[in-house]
């Protein structure tokens, strides 16, 4: 009589070896895919940020202009730009001068580019200098001879010739402060200005 051996419990419940291998392979592939995606998501933005920082052409740098033919103009202090010869300044009426500088970024060198403007006039022995940007919201003011005041065309801010706010009865002046005064340095007959841009919409004059 043939003996019938009972099947072991392990033999009944364990899946076949090939199924286990397939599951192991699939879970490994999923782990590798997840790791790759994680790497891309984590490192990608970092790499893009680094690239943008290094290659961004907007990281423009300006260098002080050297006035052609004027030996003294080469002595500009850090942050100062040549504006004019002192003989060009009027003792009463402010004159508008464009600030010109060489611009350099990662890829380009652009010589003599306008980077801003100022109004200047003589006041006794002193030179008065104001930024042309309206402190309200950044439009350009212009000096009006007739009213002897700086006027902004955007929202009607106006300023006295000394840069302080001008208040008319019956109208409001939206500018939070007077015109931004700039430091001036004179070397020989050359006039330099410490040209900076300032935040608009604030009561205090804070450089950007
Ligand atoms: S920007 Fe000059 S008044 Fe508004």
């Amino acid at each position: 009589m043939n003996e019938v051996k009972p099947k072991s419990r392990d033999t009944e419940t364990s899946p076949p070896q090939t199924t286990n291998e397939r599951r192991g392979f699939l879970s490994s592939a999923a782990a590798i895919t997840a790791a790759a995606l994680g790497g891309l998501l984590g490192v990608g933005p970092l790499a893009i940020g680094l690239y943008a920082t290094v290659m961004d052409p907007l990281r423009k740098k300006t260098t002080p202009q050297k006035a052609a033919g004027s030996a003294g103009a080469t002595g500009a202090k850090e942050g100062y730009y040549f504006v004019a010869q002192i003989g060009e300044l009027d003792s009463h009426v402010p004159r508008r001068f464009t600030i010109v500088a060489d611009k350099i970024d990662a890829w380009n060198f652009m010589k003599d580019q306008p980077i801003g403007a100022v109004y200047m006039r003589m006041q006794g022995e002193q030179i008065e200098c104001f930024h042309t940007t309206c402190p309200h919201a950044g439009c350009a003011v212009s000096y009006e001879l007739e009213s002897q005041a700086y006027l902004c065309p955007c929202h009607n801010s106006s300023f006295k010739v000394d840069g302080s706010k001008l208040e008319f009865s019956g109208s409001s002046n939206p500018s939070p402060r007077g015109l931004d005064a700039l430091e001036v340095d004179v070397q020989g007959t050359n006039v330099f200005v410490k040209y900076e841009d300032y935040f608009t919409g604030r009561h205090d004059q804070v450089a950007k």
Side-chain angles (χ1 to χ4, degrees), residues 64-65 67 70-87 89 99 118-122 125-130 181-196:
Q65 183 207 17
S70 178
T74 57
K77 293 197 285 189
E78 181 78 23
Y80 283 71
Y81 297 84
F82 173 77
V83 180
Q85 297 289 315
I86 201 162
L89 305 185
I99 308 291
V118 296
Y119 273 103
M120 288 203 308
R121 69 168 181 163
M122 294 298 302
E125 296 296 302
Q126 305 295 314
I127 296 174
E128 204 171 58
C129 181
F130 296 111
L182 301 175
E183 289 177 31
V184 170
D185 182 47
V186 180
Q187 294 186 25
T189 58
N190 298 311
V191 181
F192 299 88
V193 64
K194 187 176 183 185
Y195 187 78
E196 293 179 293

Side-chain angles (χ1 to χ4, degrees), residues 86-96 119-130 143-145 147-150 160-163:
I86 201 162
E88 298 178 71
L89 305 185
D90 192 276
S91 56
H92 298 291
V93 180
R95 277 195 61 191
R96 187 181 186 281
Y119 273 103
M120 288 203 308
R121 69 168 181 163
M122 294 298 302
Q123 271 294 85
E125 296 296 302
Q126 305 295 314
I127 296 174
E128 204 171 58
C129 181
F130 296 111
Y143 184 75
E144 302 290 327
L145 263 180
S147 53
Q148 296 185 7
Y150 296 97
K160 297 177 189 172
V161 69
D162 66 4

Side-chain angles (χ1 to χ4, degrees), residues 133-141 151-159 173-175:
T133 298
C134 177
H136 177 230
C139 293
V141 300
L151 305 177
C152 180
C154 291
H155 315 98
N156 296 324
S157 284
S158 52
F159 308 87
N173 185 336
S175 180

Side-chain angles (χ1 to χ4, degrees), residues 26-88:
L26 288 174
S27 58
S28 298
I32 290 168
T33 306
L37 275 175
L40 276 177
L41 291 174
V43 177
L46 179 63
I48 290 168
L50 277 174
Y51 178 84
T53 301
V54 172
M55 301 303 287
D56 183 6
L58 297 178
R59 291 172 66 239
K60 289 186 172 62
K61 183 177 141 193
T62 54
T63 55
Q65 183 207 17
K66 297 175 180 62
S70 178
T74 57
K77 293 197 285 189
E78 181 78 23
Y80 283 71
Y81 297 84
F82 173 77
V83 180
Q85 297 289 315
I86 201 162
E88 298 178 71

Side-chain angles (χ1 to χ4, degrees), residues 1 14 16 26 100 113 116 172 183:
M1 190 169 138
S14 295
L26 288 174
V100 177
Q113 300 297 305
S172 65
E183 289 177 31

